[in-house]
Amino acid sequence: QVQLVESGGGLVQAGGSLRLSCVASGRTFSGYTMGWFRQAPGKEREFVAAIGWTSGRTISADSVKGRFTISRDNAKNTVYLQMNSLKPEDTAVYYCATRPGLPLPHVVGYDNWGQGTQVTVSS
């Protein structure tokens, strides 16, 4: 059974930084993609960034390009989301998720999800 556990969220001022972590367990993730998504109150869950577990290939949403960086440490079965220059509109619950195959920038196909970690950016 796949388990994904996020951590690293919190309250930060605009312009600040946070690093989220997602520890994955329960299977071998070779050939899988690890993704980060977020959901703000009253809004749909949206794609943030994703990385191929084996290839290391990354994709990210236009809204976070140049500010957020996704990376992974295969030895630790951990995916990170480094978030810099945070804005109030980045406030949301952030989730990590997995899908078999290539990184794709939408919710469909991601079939295992963590419980989420809250990120709040104050102005």
Side-chain angles (χ1 to χ4, degrees):
Q1 182 178 356
V2 173
Q3 283 196 316
L4 304 171
V5 180
E6 305 98 332
S7 62
L11 173 63
V12 65
Q13 287 189 329
S17 298
L18 283 173
R19 188 176 80 156
L20 305 183
S21 300
C22 173
V23 179
S25 63
R27 65 159 297 124
T28 300
F29 292 98
S30 175
Y32 272 63
T33 285
M34 310 296 287
W36 284 99
F37 294 78
R38 65 187 182 186
Q39 188 165 18
K43 295 189 177 181
E44 292 190 352
R45 193 167 296 188
E46 66 173 2
F47 170 77
V48 175
I51 186 167
W53 190 258
T54 305
S55 68
R57 177 180 174 241
T58 64
I59 56 172
S60 59
D62 288 344
S63 58
V64 305
K65 276 190 170 77
R67 300 189 299 124
F68 292 11
T69 302
I70 188 171
S71 62
R72 90 272 194 234
D73 184 332
N74 290 22
K76 295 182 179 179
N77 264 19
T78 301
V79 177
Y80 303 98
L81 186 68
Q82 178 66 44
M83 306 187 295
N84 299 328
S85 302
L86 282 160
K87 305 175 181 180
E89 51 263 44
D90 294 318
T91 295
V93 177
Y94 283 71
Y95 300 89
C96 71
T98 66
R99 70 177 302 277
L102 297 174
L104 290 177
H106 44 69
V107 173
V108 173
Y110 287 83
D111 51 11
N112 287 287
W113 293 81
Q115 82 289 349
T117 185
Q118 176 72 47
V119 171
T120 303
V121 184
S122 64
S123 57

